[in-house]
Amino acid sequence: MPNPLKNQTILLGVTGSIAAYKAADLASKLHQAEAIVEVVLTNSALKFITPLTFQSVTGRKAYTDADLWGGEGHVTHIGLGRAARLIVIAPASANTIAKLAHGIADNLLSVTVLASHCPLLIAPAMDAGMYDHPATTENIGILKNRGAHFVGPTAGHLASGLVGVGRMSEPQEILNYARWILSTGGPLSGKKIVVTAGGTQEPIDPVRLITNRSSGKQGFALAQAAADVGADVVLISTVTHLPVPVGASLVKVCTAAEMHQAVLQEIQTADILIMAAAVADFRPAKQADQKIKKDSGVTTIPLEPTIDILQAVNEYRKKTGYPRKVIGFAAESQNLLENATKKLQAKGLDLIIANDISASDAGFEADTNRVTFLYPNGEQKNLSKMAKSEVSEKVIEQVIEWC
Ligand code: CTP
């Protein structure tokens, strides 16, 4: 399950740009993600980097135009083009983009693209003036109309010394985009999954707030796992420093009240809600308009309860039937199963994931978790200690079973 890149043949086309050095990192990352990476370099790319670099990171032959006219040349491009599940061109020069837009096939890479039937992902890299040129804009438009995907370019320092838009996107971002393209048509295609992540932040005054130690990692991993199987993911999060899965939309919130509003809005059309957020149970009864000064001698901050979002979702679901299924988390430091079972029943959940936060290798800041799945019929599944990404895959396997 997940990892849509696993065992997929990805053809990486590398063209003439200084960003070609980053393509080696991309090839390495794709290889580490268990994709089968075929690399084709244009003659201009060879001015910046050698085939040996790519062979070293992918463990496979890297192709050049010399292979176009060799003994097997007449079939090389057909074989490469047909075998690919995805062609990624990174960096893509203005010249190669122009050739692809107009069906010009005068080197191994452009011939191979013409012979292929798979999706095409293009990561342009060029000087800002070339990127802005109407010819490039039109060529990109032609390719987009034909269904090609583009990632970047981004703004920053360019090889020419200018600052502008033209830098190739970072390899990780290109990989994430490739991952999303390959997840299309997965088992949760057409299903809307709403995931909440992170600890809510309840303001005391304009500079201080009450929050908790939730990192948001589990929620983001759940969003990625759902996106990996083709779901339409809405991530409602207090955390913004983690990478949002490509294809997922982020709704940024801070307080429990904002999260409540966003959840009620999104669940109206949702198949599944996964509440992985650590929602504050109490908030300051009154937020001070101005920074509280130490001279004022404040020694207590009166609190009031926040709304229980899952209780509110339960009420809404009884009336409308949406969302179809609801999953909650229970972070407990004692009496794990007893407390989690109470929450499962009180909040009307279809599954609760009980999480023992007293262990140092599980819980809020760790990358691993040790959880038990509890169902309304009393069924229990104990999962061994595993990465938060693996816990997420198990949750999404359950969601696939329901859908
Ligand atoms: N939750 C919620 N709204 C709240 C508090 C919690 O929807 N105001 C959700 C959490 O996102 C989680 C589940 O309820 O999925 C359990 O949260 P947890 O903090 O473990 O339980 P509480 O109900 O807050 O009870 P307690 O803090 O007393 O353990």
Side-chain angles (χ1 to χ4, degrees):
M1 243 260 301
N3 186 8
L5 296 163
K6 188 170 179 171
N7 297 331
Q8 301 296 322
T9 300
I10 298 186
L11 189 140
L12 173 62
V14 182
T15 76
S17 154
I18 179 60
Y21 79 93
K22 287 196 200 168
D25 184 27
L26 175 58
S28 169
K29 283 189 161 68
L30 288 167
H31 177 67
Q32 285 169 47
E34 299 179 77
I36 300 159
V37 189
E38 304 279 21
V39 178
V40 175
L41 295 110
T42 64
N43 279 338
S44 308
L46 294 175
K47 305 254 194 295
F48 294 94
I49 198 158
T50 69
L52 185 61
T53 311
F54 291 95
Q55 280 163 212
S56 308
V57 294
T58 65
R60 304 174 74 82
K61 173 181 166 63
Y63 295 86
T64 67
D65 280 0
D67 299 294
L68 186 56
W69 308 114
E72 294 289 309
H74 61 294
V75 288
T76 302
H77 60 281
I78 304 288
L80 286 170
R82 290 270 163 86
R85 271 279 282 120
L86 171 69
I87 296 180
V88 181
I89 305 192
S93 63
N95 184 41
T96 293
I97 289 172
K99 284 185 195 179
L100 299 181
H102 297 282
I104 294 171
D106 64 350
N107 61 15
L108 181 59
L109 179 60
S110 52
V111 177
T112 302
V113 175
L114 215 52
S116 70
H117 298 287
C118 64
L120 180 60
L121 173 61
I122 298 174
M126 63 195 74
D127 198 55
M130 293 171 79
Y131 184 64
D132 286 343
H133 194 282
T136 306
T137 307
E138 272 176 35
N139 290 334
I140 289 175
I142 290 171
L143 288 166
K144 279 187 177 167
N145 282 339
R146 232 180 262 155
H149 301 270
F150 279 78
V151 52
T154 59
H157 282 280
L158 303 169
S160 61
L162 297 174
V163 175
V165 177
R167 280 169 68 95
M168 187 176 91
S169 293
E170 289 306 313
Q172 187 62 48
E173 201 188 335
I174 300 171
L175 179 140
N176 291 346
Y177 211 105
R179 187 172 176 149
W180 174 68
I181 293 172
L182 290 173
S183 70
T184 310
L188 288 187
S189 288
K191 303 289 176 192
K192 178 175 173 183
I193 314 282
V194 178
V195 182
T196 65
T200 60
Q201 301 153 6
E202 310 300 330
I204 298 169
D205 68 14
V207 289
R208 304 177 181 100
L209 46 85
I210 298 175
T211 188
N212 58 62
R213 292 171 58 196
S214 169
S215 63
K217 284 180 188 167
Q218 185 67 73
F220 274 67
L222 282 158
Q224 181 67 65
D228 279 347
V229 286
D232 297 328
V233 179
V234 177
L235 184 54
I236 300 173
S237 176
T238 58
V239 169
T240 49
H241 63 273
L242 295 172
V244 178
V246 176
S249 47
L250 177 74
V251 180
K252 164 91 180 86
V253 295
C254 289
T255 63
E258 286 170 12
M259 186 170 280
H260 169 232
Q261 261 194 350
V263 167
L264 281 199
Q265 172 73 33
E266 293 297 339
I267 58 169
Q268 292 173 21
T269 50
D271 294 282
I272 309 284
L273 169 67
I274 308 177
M275 277 292 296
V279 186
D281 293 324
F282 298 94
R283 66 179 175 205
K286 202 169 153 289
Q287 183 191 339
D289 293 337
Q290 305 298 332
K291 184 182 175 196
I292 300 170
K293 304 302 286 177
K294 87 179 144 206
D295 299 349
S296 66
V298 171
T299 52
T300 56
I301 299 170
L303 300 177
E304 65 182 14
T306 57
I307 189 157
D308 188 303
I309 300 174
L310 279 177
Q311 299 276 13
V313 168
N314 196 21
E315 293 306 312
Y316 180 83
R317 183 153 76 132
K318 281 184 200 152
K319 284 189 246 147
T320 64
Y322 284 90
R324 307 242 180 248
K325 298 276 183 190
V326 181
I327 300 175
F329 276 74
E332 305 292 345
S333 59
Q334 56 180 348
N335 304 331
L336 178 70
L337 298 184
E338 191 189 324
N339 285 333
T341 304
K342 274 191 206 153
K343 288 176 191 172
L344 173 77
Q345 289 163 352
K347 298 178 193 242
L349 305 176
D350 300 286
L351 165 62
I352 196 156
I353 296 150
N355 184 2
D356 180 358
I357 53 163
S358 62
S360 62
D361 55 2
F364 285 146
E365 278 147 9
D367 285 325
T368 50
N369 235 346
R370 198 190 295 271
V371 302
T372 304
F373 285 13
L374 301 175
Y375 295 86
N377 64 2
E379 193 192 337
Q380 284 186 17
K381 280 187 209 161
N382 278 307
L383 273 60
S384 52
K385 181 185 131 187
M386 54 177 70
K388 286 184 175 173
S389 58
E390 289 173 287
V391 173
S392 304
E393 287 175 17
K394 297 283 176 206
V395 175
I396 297 304
E397 273 172 24
Q398 174 60 77
V399 171
I400 293 171
E401 226 175 87
W402 283 336
C403 289

